[in-house]
Amino acid sequence: MSITPLDLQTLFLKMANVGKEQATIQKSVENQQKREANQLIKEENNRDHSVNRVDEDKATEKINDKSNNQQQDRPKGEKKETDEDPEETKKYFTDPNRGHNIDISG
């Protein structure tokens, strides 16, 4: 199928319109990016110049010494769960000097 002179005339007329549409689309994208950038700048400035209320950490108000509370809650004859069993300590040898001496002789 060949291109006739009439087809060329209609194509040339439409090319001007296509160019204008492409330029409009490209400018709209640029304008949208500029608007979003300006909006982000405004929000950042508002955050910088405003005083924000900080929610207080409720957990810090409830600090308790767990070891003291556990000792008070137990009956006197009951053994503490975290106490090591004497048989467990006999299984392993611990060096009393380990961790206290620094070897600088390299």
Side-chain angles (χ1 to χ4, degrees):
M1 181 168 180
S2 62
I3 298 177
T4 62
L6 185 60
D7 292 335
L8 285 175
Q9 282 181 340
T10 56
L11 287 174
F12 286 134
L13 289 174
K14 290 183 180 181
M15 281 182 59
N17 292 337
V18 170
K20 288 179 185 177
E21 288 177 13
Q22 292 295 323
T24 305
I25 290 171
Q26 191 173 15
K27 284 187 180 183
S28 68
V29 170
E30 291 174 6
N31 290 336
Q32 183 180 4
Q33 287 177 347
K34 286 180 185 177
R35 275 185 267 134
E36 289 179 9
N38 287 336
Q39 182 68 25
L40 289 174
I41 291 171
K42 286 179 185 177
E43 289 176 6
E44 187 66 29
N45 285 337
N46 286 341
R47 272 190 247 135
D48 287 344
H49 296 293
S50 66
V51 177
N52 299 327
R53 184 175 180 166
V54 178
D55 294 333
E56 293 181 13
D57 190 8
K58 305 276 183 190
T60 58
E61 296 175 2
K62 298 179 181 179
I63 296 175
N64 294 327
D65 187 8
K66 293 180 181 179
S67 62
N68 288 340
N69 290 340
Q70 289 175 353
Q71 289 176 355
Q72 293 172 355
D73 294 341
R74 281 190 316 226
K76 290 184 180 179
E78 189 175 315
K79 190 175 184 180
K80 197 161 93 174
E81 293 178 10
T82 58
D83 287 343
E84 295 181 6
D85 193 15
E87 294 175 7
E88 291 272 334
T89 56
K90 290 180 183 178
K91 289 181 183 178
Y92 302 104
F93 173 76
T94 57
D95 185 11
N97 293 327
R98 187 171 185 177
H100 300 287
N101 298 330
I102 299 174
D103 183 18
I104 57 172
S105 63

